[in-house]
Amino acid sequence: MVDWYISVSFGELTLKGKNRHTFEKRAISKILAAISDYKIEEYYQEQGKLYIKANVEEFDEMIDEIKKVFGIVYISPCIKCEKTLESMQNGVLELMRTKIVEGKLQTFKVDVHRVDKRFEIKSPELNPMLGGIILKNYSKYFKVDIKNPDMFVYVDIKDNCYVYTDRIKGWGGLPIGSSGRGLLLLSGGIDSPVAAFLMAKRGVKVDCLHFHSYPFTSQRGYEKVKKLASEISYYTGNITFYSINLLPVYKAISKNCKERMMTIISRRFMMRMAERIANENKIDALITGESLGQVASQTIQGVSVINEVVDLPILRPLIASDKTEIIEIARQIGTYDTSILPFEDCCSVFTPKRPVTKPRLYDVKSEEEKLDIEALVQECIDNMEVIKINQ
Ligand code: ATP
Ligand code: MG
């Protein structure tokens, strides 16, 4: 009988000096929440890593849940042994028994980490001792390859001793909430959900704001964006989802301003409203899925004219990404298929034939003078809907 544990390694967190403790505590509470449906016999931290004892039959499912938590570099099913050679050998044998593939000769290399330097046998001696026992018992299935093994047999000697082979990659990053809060401007496209994921990965707690222009945009379009938010919540945790009908703004612009200015002016309205919501809800920054040069409004001049209207920072994690790179992440995180469902964005309904690509602040402002900005912002916000999207 051996004891199986899931071990969780926090990567970058270990670099964070004084903050490390807070980060780890936060990550651990997220992990425990993620596996709250499973029976956990015990959990504790040893030399940075988290160890969770549970039913080994449920490990695969549990690891799938744990993987979603940011701040984790890798996860390993491992066997806990006593700090004696005999116990380690037993542990290693039991571990390798689970790795046998009938009819296949796999290669391995033992990799001992003697964190507890008081342990009397040093790594260079221990490696062949543990490798030897594997060869003695399972020569039909395993042989040593020091240079390019199929698997490493890791042996960590700490207060206890742990043996494992698999290192299942986590997303890395920082646990949600450790870098403040952001309000994502969520459209129905491919980019903004990816932007949410990337900022969440850096520890930002994300809420979403969507602009529609019902009845020019449909209920189905709205449902699609809500679905995207719920897919994002898989990573970010619960989301507050704000939605605003921007139709009054579009109507006012198309009635009063030059058609070419529609996109840039409506974007500035979006930002004004986003900032107001952020300020009222203690949110520290706005987030968009803009990528330089992707569409007419996403030029450096466009970006600076948009920035001018708000004081909060606007985070644009995709600014330097190519569309193909963005699509790759969208596929990985599972938002792509929803993003490409057909729907009419409020912006596409009101997109001018030839939008200005290099707007000048002076021109934009003089167009905006024809509008009652404050009244329009207030009217839209007064009709805002707010719902909770639970993970
Ligand atoms: P996406 O794929 O995210 O829709 P896009 O390539 O279509 O982006 P734009 O439509 O120019 O680019 O939008 C740029 C950014 O502005 C979006 O990533 C999003 O953050 C924000 N945005 C655009 N339209 C909306 C909307 N209807 N509601 C909320 N935010 C929006
Ligand atoms: Mg869009």
Side-chain angles (χ1 to χ4, degrees):
M1 257 302 277
V2 293
D3 287 331
W4 282 93
Y5 284 70
I6 294 174
S7 77
V8 183
S9 301
F10 307 110
E12 192 172 348
L13 304 192
T14 53
L15 301 175
K16 285 271 174 178
K18 265 200 300 198
N19 286 338
R20 169 179 163 177
H21 181 65
T22 330
F23 282 119
E24 287 185 353
K25 243 175 71 183
R26 201 186 283 272
I28 290 170
S29 79
K30 300 276 178 205
I31 290 168
L32 295 177
I35 53 175
S36 59
D37 286 348
Y38 299 88
K39 186 169 183 301
I40 296 167
E41 282 181 46
E42 65 162 340
Y43 70 91
Y44 57 86
Q45 243 185 313
E46 194 176 318
Q47 307 273 358
K49 278 195 196 183
L50 172 68
Y51 293 90
I52 304 164
K53 187 175 184 193
N55 177 4
V56 70
E57 309 285 327
E58 295 182 323
F59 272 18
D60 286 348
E61 286 171 34
M62 290 176 73
I63 289 171
D64 275 346
E65 295 301 318
I66 296 171
K67 261 188 349 200
K68 291 185 220 162
V69 176
F70 292 121
I72 295 171
V73 178
Y74 62 83
I75 308 163
S76 305
C78 62
I79 293 174
K80 182 178 179 180
C81 314
E82 285 161 30
K83 259 186 336 194
T84 63
L85 182 59
E86 193 194 347
S87 177
M88 286 181 204
Q89 287 179 325
N90 286 339
V92 163
L93 281 183
E94 180 58 23
L95 177 74
M96 295 310 273
R97 198 179 58 78
T98 67
K99 292 280 143 191
I100 289 173
V101 179
E102 278 304 333
K104 192 175 165 196
L105 184 65
Q106 302 178 81
T107 60
F108 73 93
K109 176 185 177 179
V110 177
D111 188 354
V112 175
H113 291 259
R114 201 170 55 111
V115 182
D116 178 5
K117 298 291 179 208
R118 291 168 310 176
F119 186 71
E120 60 278 10
I121 314 174
K122 294 197 169 125
S123 309
E125 299 157 47
L126 209 46
N127 281 328
M129 284 177 178
L130 296 173
I133 197 90
I134 297 173
L135 295 175
K136 196 169 141 205
N137 285 270
Y138 296 130
S139 61
K140 209 172 123 193
Y141 302 110
F142 301 109
K143 72 172 191 181
V144 174
D145 182 345
I146 305 286
K147 286 220 174 91
N148 192 23
D150 296 329
M151 69 183 90
F152 282 89
V153 179
Y154 298 104
V155 180
D156 293 351
I157 305 174
K158 306 171 163 180
D159 295 338
N160 295 283
C161 174
Y162 302 90
V163 299
Y164 58 98
T165 52
D166 301 339
R167 286 183 167 176
I168 299 155
K169 266 184 85 166
W171 287 112
L174 301 170
I176 301 281
S178 46
S179 307
R181 299 180 58 195
L183 182 64
L184 170 77
L185 281 83
L186 175 65
S187 63
I190 296 167
D191 306 328
S192 35
V194 173
F197 169 80
L198 291 175
M199 292 323 303
K201 179 167 175 258
R202 292 310 300 168
V204 176
K205 168 101 183 69
V206 177
D207 289 316
C208 296
L209 166 61
H210 174 65
F211 294 96
H212 60 88
S213 33
Y214 189 80
F216 286 84
T217 55
S218 66
Q219 182 65 24
R220 268 181 52 216
Y222 177 73
E223 293 301 327
K224 170 188 168 177
V225 179
K226 252 175 39 186
K227 181 154 187 267
L228 281 174
S230 110
E231 286 167 353
I232 298 169
S233 77
Y234 185 85
Y235 303 97
T236 61
N238 298 349
I239 285 175
T240 305
F241 180 89
Y242 304 88
S243 67
I244 291 181
N245 192 339
L246 206 58
L247 198 55
V249 169
Y250 285 125
K251 280 186 172 161
I253 300 173
S254 66
K255 190 167 158 217
N256 299 292
C257 308
K258 290 182 188 146
E259 195 212 357
R260 298 187 64 202
M261 293 283 192
M262 172 60 93
T263 309
I264 188 75
I265 294 178
S266 61
R267 274 298 138 83
R268 278 164 60 92
F269 270 94
M270 286 186 187
M271 290 302 165
R272 287 186 184 100
M273 293 177 208
E275 182 174 59
R276 186 168 302 185
I277 295 166
N279 285 337
E280 281 168 10
N281 293 279
K282 299 197 171 65
I283 294 174
D284 314 293
L286 308 179
I287 304 167
T288 75
E290 287 161 300
S291 158
L292 203 59
Q294 201 188 83
V295 292
S297 60
Q298 297 174 19
T299 57
I300 290 184
Q301 292 81 358
V303 161
S304 42
V305 171
I306 288 170
N307 284 355
E308 191 271 342
V309 83
V310 290
D311 292 324
L312 281 182
I314 303 175
L315 307 176
R316 298 179 169 93
L318 302 177
I319 198 74
S321 298
D322 295 348
K323 196 77 187 187
T324 49
E325 294 168 329
I326 300 171
I327 288 174
E328 205 180 301
I329 303 177
R331 283 189 203 277
Q332 273 180 38
I333 64 172
T335 53
Y336 183 75
D337 289 341
T338 308
S339 285
I340 58 170
L341 294 173
F343 104 119
E344 55 309 303
D345 194 0
C346 64
C347 316
S348 47
V349 176
F350 292 95
T351 300
K353 278 181 222 79
R354 284 192 326 110
V356 276
T357 53
K358 294 182 179 168
R360 286 190 311 191
L361 188 58
Y362 174 84
D363 298 334
V364 173
K365 281 189 154 174
S366 68
E367 281 305 296
E368 281 180 352
E369 271 170 22
K370 301 172 190 165
L371 306 169
D372 186 344
I373 294 173
E374 183 46 39
L376 283 167
V377 168
Q378 196 57 49
E379 179 185 353
C380 290
I381 294 229
D382 285 345
N383 293 313
M384 175 169 77
E385 282 174 39
V386 187
I387 58 169
K388 294 277 176 200
I389 296 202
N390 294 326
Q391 190 171 23

